[in-house]
C-alpha cells in the first residue's frame, strides 16, 4: 500500500510504502492510543465533574450509583427469599421433630416438659468474622440434613417403643379389682365347701357386690357365658396362647367377640356359681394350663395406672 503526503506550502510530495503487516500494526497502535486517550478523558471529565458538581456529570453519577444499589438490593432480596423458604421448611421439620419427641418421650415414660428446658450455655467470647450468605446457606443445608436424620431416627424409636408398649399391654399385669384384699391364693388349699384338699387355680379378690372388675390386659373376649361352677364368666384372649378368666360376676358388660383395652371395666363383682360370698375369681392360663396370676400382677406393680383412672372416670359418668 502506498501513502502520498503533499505539502501545499512547500509544493512537495512524499510517498510511503506500507506492507500488510505494517498497516495492521499501525492500525492497532492507533486504536490503542485512541482508547487510552478516551479512557483518560472520560475519567478526567467524570471525576472532575463529580468533584466540582457539574450538573450533567452529577446526574450520571447518581444514575450509576442508583443502578449499583438496585442490583445489590435485588441480589440481597433474592438470597433472602431463598433463605426464608429454607427457614420455613426447617420450622416445619422442627415442629414435626418436636411432636415426635413428645410421643416418644410419652412412650418411654419421660415427662415431655423435661426435654423442652433450654440448656445453659456460656464461656469465653472469641469473636469470629461475619458469616457470608454462602456460609449461612451451607449451614442451613447441613442443619436440614441433620434434622431429617433425627426425625427418621425418632420415627424408628417411636415404632419400636409402641411395639413394646403394645406387647406389655397384652400381658395381664393390671389388678382386676382395685383396693381389694387378696383372699385365697393360687395352689393347694382346703376347699371352703367340701372341706377337702383341692387345687385353687386362681386368685380370689373378696369385694362388695357391684364393685368394678377391670380387664388385666388388652385382648378379645372369647367366652361370655354362665358356668355352673364359675357362674357368670368371661374369658379374654391376649394372644400368644394367653387367656385370663373372670368368674362369679353379678353383671357382665362385654360379650363374645368384643375387643377390650387394659384396665377397661368388663363386669361387676358378684357371687354367682359355686361361691360362698361376693368375690372375683381370677385365673391366668397359658396354653390352657393354669398359672399363678400373682407372678403376672407382681410384674405390673410399677406400670402406670392411667388407664385404670380413665376407666374409673368412665364408670362415674355412666
Amino acid at each position: 500500500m502506498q501513502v502520498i503526503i503533499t505539502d501545499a506550502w512547500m509544493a512537495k510530495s512524499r510517498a510511503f510504502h506500507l506492507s500488510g503487516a505494517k498497516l495492521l500494526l499501525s492500525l492497532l497502535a492507533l486504536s490503542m492510543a485512541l482508547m487510552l486517550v478516551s479512557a483518560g478523558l472520560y475519567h478526567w471529565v467524570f471525576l472532575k465533574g463529580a468533584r466540582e458538581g457539574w450538573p450533567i456529570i452529577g446526574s450520571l453519577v447518581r444514575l450509576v450509583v442508583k443502578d449499583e444499589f438496585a442490583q445489590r438490593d435485588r441480589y440481597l432480596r433474592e438470597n433472602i427469599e431463598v433463605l426464608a423458604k429454607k427457614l420455613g421448611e426447617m420450622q416445619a421439620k422442627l415442629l414435626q421433630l418436636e411432636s415426635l419427641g413428645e410421643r416418644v418421650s410419652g412412650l418411654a415414660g419421660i415427662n415431655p416438659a423435661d426435654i423442652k428446658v433450654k440448656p445453659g450455655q456460656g464461656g469465653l467470647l472469641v469473636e469470629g468474622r461475619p458469616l457470608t450468605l454462602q456460609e449461612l446457606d451451607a449451614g442451613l443445608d447441613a442443619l436440614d440434613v441433620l434434622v431429617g436424620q433425627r426425625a427418621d431416627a425418632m420415627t424408628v424409636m417411636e415404632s419400636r417403643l409402641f411395639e413394646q408398649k403394645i406387647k406389655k399391654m397384652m400381658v395381664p399385669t393390671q389388678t382386676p379389682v382395685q383396693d381389694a384384699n387378696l383372699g385365697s391364693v393360687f395352689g393347694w388349699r382346703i376347699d371352703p365347701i367340701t372341706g377337702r384338699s383341692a387345687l385353687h387355680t386362681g386368685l380370689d379378690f373378696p369385694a362388695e357386690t357391684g364393685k368394678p372388675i377391670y380387664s388385666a390386659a388388652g385382648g378379645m373376649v372369647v367366652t361370655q357365658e354362665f358356668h355352673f361352677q364359675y357362674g357368670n364368666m368371661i374369658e379374654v384372649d391376649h394372644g400368644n396362647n394367653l387367656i385370663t378368666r373372670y368368674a362369679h360376676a353379678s353383671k357382665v358388660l362385654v360379650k363374645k367377640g368384643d375387643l377390650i383395652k387394659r384396665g377397661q371395666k368388663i363386669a361387676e363383682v358378684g357371687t354367682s356359681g359355686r361361691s360362698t360370698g361376693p368375690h372375683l375369681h381370677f385365673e391366668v392360663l397359658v396354653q390352657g394350663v393354669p398359672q399363678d396370676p400373682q407372678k403376672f400382677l407382681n410384674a405390673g406393680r410399677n406400670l402406670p395406672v392411667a388407664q385404670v383412672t380413665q376407666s374409673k372416670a368412665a364408670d362415674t359418668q355412666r
Side-chain angles (χ1 to χ4, degrees):
M1 178 179 180
Q2 184 176 11
V3 179
I4 301 175
I5 300 177
T6 303
D7 189 347
W9 290 358
M10 304 293 295
K12 292 182 179 181
S13 298
R14 298 183 66 179
F16 296 93
H17 296 277
L18 298 176
S19 64
K22 290 182 179 180
L23 179 62
L24 181 61
L25 289 175
S26 300
L27 291 175
L28 287 175
L30 180 62
S31 300
M32 291 294 294
L34 289 175
M35 289 174 60
L36 290 174
V37 171
S38 300
L41 183 63
Y42 169 78
H43 281 86
W44 180 81
V45 173
F46 195 80
L47 294 176
K48 185 176 180 61
R51 194 180 305 113
E52 296 182 2
W54 294 357
I56 296 177
I57 301 301
S59 299
L60 289 174
V61 169
R62 285 192 293 273
L63 286 174
V64 171
V65 172
K66 183 178 180 181
D67 182 65
E68 182 180 352
F69 273 103
Q71 291 181 2
R72 186 177 301 175
D73 183 64
R74 184 166 56 252
Y75 173 77
L76 289 175
R77 265 200 321 271
E78 291 174 354
N79 282 274
I80 288 174
E81 289 175 358
V82 172
L83 293 177
K85 183 179 178 181
K86 288 187 176 181
L87 181 59
E89 295 174 352
M90 286 290 300
Q91 287 175 337
K93 288 188 176 182
L94 286 173
L95 287 175
Q96 178 190 13
L97 191 60
E98 183 179 0
S99 177
L100 276 171
E102 290 181 354
R103 295 202 300 268
V104 170
S105 62
L107 289 171
I110 302 174
N111 186 357
D114 294 339
I115 62 177
K116 288 185 178 181
V117 178
K118 185 178 180 180
Q121 294 178 331
L124 178 67
L125 175 62
V126 180
E127 294 185 353
R129 61 179 178 80
L131 288 176
T132 64
L133 284 174
Q134 290 77 11
E135 290 173 332
L136 182 59
D137 186 52
L140 284 175
D141 287 339
L143 186 58
D144 182 59
V145 173
L146 181 62
V147 170
Q149 293 174 346
R150 293 292 186 271
D152 293 341
M154 292 285 280
T155 302
V156 174
M157 290 172 58
E158 180 189 24
S159 177
R160 298 288 174 82
L161 287 171
F162 184 73
E163 182 180 354
Q164 293 177 8
K165 184 175 181 180
I166 289 297
K167 289 181 178 179
K168 289 180 180 179
M169 300 298 283
M170 302 298 282
V171 177
T173 54
Q174 175 65 58
T175 303
V177 180
Q178 298 300 308
D179 304 322
N181 295 323
L182 182 61
S184 297
V185 296
F186 179 87
W188 292 94
R189 67 172 183 176
I190 301 299
D191 187 83
I193 296 177
T194 65
R196 298 177 181 178
S197 178
L199 177 64
H200 188 230
T201 56
L203 298 178
D204 285 345
F205 293 92
E208 297 178 356
T209 300
K211 192 173 181 68
I213 298 173
Y214 300 104
S215 175
M220 175 183 287
V221 178
V222 292
T223 303
Q224 188 276 299
E225 63 183 14
F226 183 86
H227 189 277
F228 75 99
Q229 294 196 68
Y230 287 119
N232 292 319
M233 180 186 69
I234 298 172
E235 290 181 345
V236 179
D237 188 349
H238 307 287
N240 297 319
N241 296 312
L242 183 62
I243 290 178
T244 53
R245 179 178 291 157
Y246 310 81
H248 309 306
S250 62
K251 183 178 181 180
V252 175
L253 304 176
V254 293
K255 63 182 183 301
K256 184 177 180 179
D258 286 351
L259 292 175
I260 58 176
K261 298 184 295 184
R262 178 175 183 265
Q264 178 179 333
K265 182 180 177 181
I266 59 175
E268 294 178 358
V269 172
T271 184
S272 59
R274 188 174 182 270
S275 171
T276 60
H279 72 287
L280 168 68
H281 175 79
F282 175 62
E283 293 185 13
V284 175
L285 301 97
V286 177
Q287 294 183 346
V289 179
Q291 306 292 320
D292 186 358
Q294 192 63 58
K295 295 180 180 179
F296 293 88
L297 298 182
N298 288 341
R301 284 180 178 176
N302 296 324
L303 294 179
V305 293
Q307 287 189 327
V308 176
T309 304
Q310 295 173 358
S311 298
K312 289 181 177 179
D315 296 340
T316 303
Q317 293 176 354
R318 292 194 190 99

